[in-house]
mmCIF file of all heavy atoms in Angstrom:
data_model
loop_
_atom_site.group_PDB
_atom_site.id
_atom_site.type_symbol
_atom_site.label_atom_id
_atom_site.label_comp_id
_atom_site.label_asym_id
_atom_site.label_seq_id
_atom_site.Cartn_x
_atom_site.Cartn_y
_atom_site.Cartn_z
ATOM 1 N N HIS T 81 3.138 36.681 3.226
ATOM 2 C CA HIS T 81 1.919 36.264 3.917
ATOM 3 C C HIS T 81 0.950 35.517 3.000
ATOM 4 O O HIS T 81 0.268 34.576 3.418
ATOM 5 C CB HIS T 81 1.236 37.484 4.536
ATOM 6 C CG HIS T 81 -0.052 37.147 5.229
ATOM 7 N ND1 HIS T 81 -0.097 36.408 6.404
ATOM 8 C CD2 HIS T 81 -1.337 37.425 4.901
ATOM 9 C CE1 HIS T 81 -1.361 36.263 6.772
ATOM 10 N NE2 HIS T 81 -2.128 36.876 5.884
ATOM 11 N N ASP T 82 0.888 35.931 1.737
ATOM 12 C CA ASP T 82 -0.054 35.317 0.792
ATOM 13 C C ASP T 82 0.193 33.844 0.551
ATOM 14 O O ASP T 82 -0.670 33.150 0.001
ATOM 15 C CB ASP T 82 -0.001 36.049 -0.562
ATOM 16 C CG ASP T 82 -0.680 37.408 -0.492
ATOM 17 O OD1 ASP T 82 -1.316 37.698 0.548
ATOM 18 O OD2 ASP T 82 -0.558 38.173 -1.460
ATOM 19 N N LEU T 83 1.352 33.348 0.938
ATOM 20 C CA LEU T 83 1.640 31.930 0.768
ATOM 21 C C LEU T 83 1.089 31.074 1.913
ATOM 22 O O LEU T 83 1.187 29.854 1.887
ATOM 23 C CB LEU T 83 3.142 31.698 0.642
ATOM 24 C CG LEU T 83 3.786 32.229 -0.647
ATOM 25 C CD1 LEU T 83 5.288 31.972 -0.657
ATOM 26 C CD2 LEU T 83 3.145 31.603 -1.875
ATOM 27 N N SER T 84 0.491 31.698 2.902
ATOM 28 C CA SER T 84 -0.127 30.946 3.997
ATOM 29 C C SER T 84 -1.257 30.090 3.436
ATOM 30 O O SER T 84 -2.169 30.597 2.773
ATOM 31 C CB SER T 84 -0.691 31.912 5.059
ATOM 32 O OG SER T 84 0.339 32.654 5.655
ATOM 33 N N ALA T 85 -1.185 28.788 3.681
ATOM 34 C CA ALA T 85 -2.154 27.830 3.136
ATOM 35 C C ALA T 85 -1.747 26.444 3.625
ATOM 36 O O ALA T 85 -0.748 26.285 4.326
ATOM 37 C CB ALA T 85 -2.174 27.863 1.607
ATOM 38 N N THR T 86 -2.513 25.433 3.213
ATOM 39 C CA THR T 86 -2.098 24.046 3.434
ATOM 40 C C THR T 86 -1.593 23.483 2.111
ATOM 41 O O THR T 86 -2.256 23.639 1.081
ATOM 42 C CB THR T 86 -3.250 23.188 3.973
ATOM 43 O OG1 THR T 86 -3.674 23.720 5.237
ATOM 44 C CG2 THR T 86 -2.801 21.752 4.179
ATOM 45 N N TYR T 87 -0.442 22.860 2.145
ATOM 46 C CA TYR T 87 0.191 22.317 0.945
ATOM 47 C C TYR T 87 0.185 20.787 1.028
ATOM 48 O O TYR T 87 0.595 20.215 2.026
ATOM 49 C CB TYR T 87 1.626 22.834 0.809
ATOM 50 C CG TYR T 87 1.658 24.310 0.530
ATOM 51 C CD1 TYR T 87 1.607 25.238 1.574
ATOM 52 C CD2 TYR T 87 1.702 24.800 -0.773
ATOM 53 C CE1 TYR T 87 1.595 26.606 1.324
ATOM 54 C CE2 TYR T 87 1.701 26.152 -1.027
ATOM 55 C CZ TYR T 87 1.640 27.049 0.022
ATOM 56 O OH TYR T 87 1.621 28.403 -0.239
ATOM 57 N N PHE T 88 -0.293 20.177 -0.038
ATOM 58 C CA PHE T 88 -0.343 18.726 -0.116
ATOM 59 C C PHE T 88 0.564 18.237 -1.230
ATOM 60 O O PHE T 88 0.596 18.824 -2.322
ATOM 61 C CB PHE T 88 -1.762 18.244 -0.436
ATOM 62 C CG PHE T 88 -2.763 18.467 0.646
ATOM 63 C CD1 PHE T 88 -3.599 19.571 0.626
ATOM 64 C CD2 PHE T 88 -2.899 17.555 1.679
ATOM 65 C CE1 PHE T 88 -4.536 19.778 1.620
ATOM 66 C CE2 PHE T 88 -3.835 17.744 2.681
ATOM 67 C CZ PHE T 88 -4.652 18.868 2.652
ATOM 68 N N CYS T 89 1.268 17.138 -0.964
ATOM 69 C CA CYS T 89 1.881 16.404 -2.052
ATOM 70 C C CYS T 89 1.037 15.159 -2.297
ATOM 71 O O CYS T 89 0.333 14.674 -1.403
ATOM 72 C CB CYS T 89 3.328 16.034 -1.767
ATOM 73 S SG CYS T 89 3.576 14.872 -0.420
ATOM 74 N N ALA T 90 1.077 14.669 -3.514
ATOM 75 C CA ALA T 90 0.284 13.506 -3.890
ATOM 76 C C ALA T 90 1.059 12.696 -4.910
ATOM 77 O O ALA T 90 1.779 13.256 -5.744
ATOM 78 C CB ALA T 90 -1.069 13.933 -4.458
ATOM 79 N N VAL T 91 0.900 11.389 -4.832
ATOM 80 C CA VAL T 91 1.651 10.482 -5.683
ATOM 81 C C VAL T 91 0.701 9.611 -6.478
ATOM 82 O O VAL T 91 -0.314 9.137 -5.957
ATOM 83 C CB VAL T 91 2.589 9.601 -4.829
ATOM 84 C CG1 VAL T 91 3.305 8.581 -5.697
ATOM 85 C CG2 VAL T 91 3.598 10.457 -4.094
ATOM 86 N N ASP T 92 1.047 9.390 -7.727
ATOM 87 C CA ASP T 92 0.302 8.512 -8.607
ATOM 88 C C ASP T 92 1.155 7.273 -8.835
ATOM 89 O O ASP T 92 2.212 7.372 -9.439
ATOM 90 C CB ASP T 92 0.027 9.242 -9.917
ATOM 91 C CG ASP T 92 -0.373 8.325 -11.049
ATOM 92 O OD1 ASP T 92 -0.715 7.148 -10.797
ATOM 93 O OD2 ASP T 92 -0.343 8.791 -12.193
ATOM 94 N N ASN T 93 0.707 6.151 -8.359
ATOM 95 C CA ASN T 93 1.531 4.940 -8.497
ATOM 96 C C ASN T 93 0.959 3.930 -9.470
ATOM 97 O O ASN T 93 1.372 2.784 -9.503
ATOM 98 C CB ASN T 93 1.736 4.270 -7.134
ATOM 99 C CG ASN T 93 0.478 3.586 -6.638
ATOM 100 O OD1 ASN T 93 -0.625 4.015 -6.938
ATOM 101 N ND2 ASN T 93 0.650 2.520 -5.882
ATOM 102 N N SER T 94 0.007 4.375 -10.273
ATOM 103 C CA SER T 94 -0.647 3.408 -11.135
ATOM 104 C C SER T 94 -0.075 3.367 -12.539
ATOM 105 O O SER T 94 -0.496 2.565 -13.344
ATOM 106 C CB SER T 94 -2.126 3.743 -11.237
ATOM 107 O OG SER T 94 -2.271 4.954 -11.958
ATOM 108 N N GLY T 95 0.809 4.269 -12.821
ATOM 109 C CA GLY T 95 1.362 4.305 -14.173
ATOM 110 C C GLY T 95 0.424 4.949 -15.173
ATOM 111 O O GLY T 95 0.656 4.892 -16.363
ATOM 112 N N GLY T 96 -0.620 5.576 -14.694
ATOM 113 C CA GLY T 96 -1.519 6.236 -15.633
ATOM 114 C C GLY T 96 -2.686 6.914 -14.961
ATOM 115 O O GLY T 96 -3.575 7.423 -15.622
ATOM 116 N N GLY T 97 -2.694 6.908 -13.637
ATOM 117 C CA GLY T 97 -3.731 7.628 -12.919
ATOM 118 C C GLY T 97 -4.941 6.798 -12.594
ATOM 119 O O GLY T 97 -5.899 7.298 -12.022
ATOM 120 N N ALA T 98 -4.928 5.528 -12.912
ATOM 121 C CA ALA T 98 -6.130 4.733 -12.736
ATOM 122 C C ALA T 98 -6.495 4.523 -11.275
ATOM 123 O O ALA T 98 -7.649 4.263 -10.981
ATOM 124 C CB ALA T 98 -5.962 3.378 -13.420
ATOM 125 N N ASP T 99 -5.534 4.621 -10.395
ATOM 126 C CA ASP T 99 -5.839 4.436 -8.982
ATOM 127 C C ASP T 99 -6.073 5.753 -8.277
ATOM 128 O O ASP T 99 -6.204 5.782 -7.064
ATOM 129 C CB ASP T 99 -4.699 3.716 -8.277
ATOM 130 C CG ASP T 99 -4.612 2.264 -8.675
ATOM 131 O OD1 ASP T 99 -5.631 1.747 -9.186
ATOM 132 O OD2 ASP T 99 -3.550 1.665 -8.501
ATOM 133 N N GLY T 100 -6.107 6.837 -8.998
ATOM 134 C CA GLY T 100 -6.214 8.115 -8.332
ATOM 135 C C GLY T 100 -4.905 8.469 -7.667
ATOM 136 O O GLY T 100 -3.894 7.780 -7.805
#
Side-chain angles (χ1 to χ4, degrees):
Chain T
H81 178 69
D82 286 352
L83 291 179
S84 296
T86 299
Y87 293 85
F88 292 97
C89 66
V91 176
D92 163 15
N93 73 329
S94 68
D99 289 341

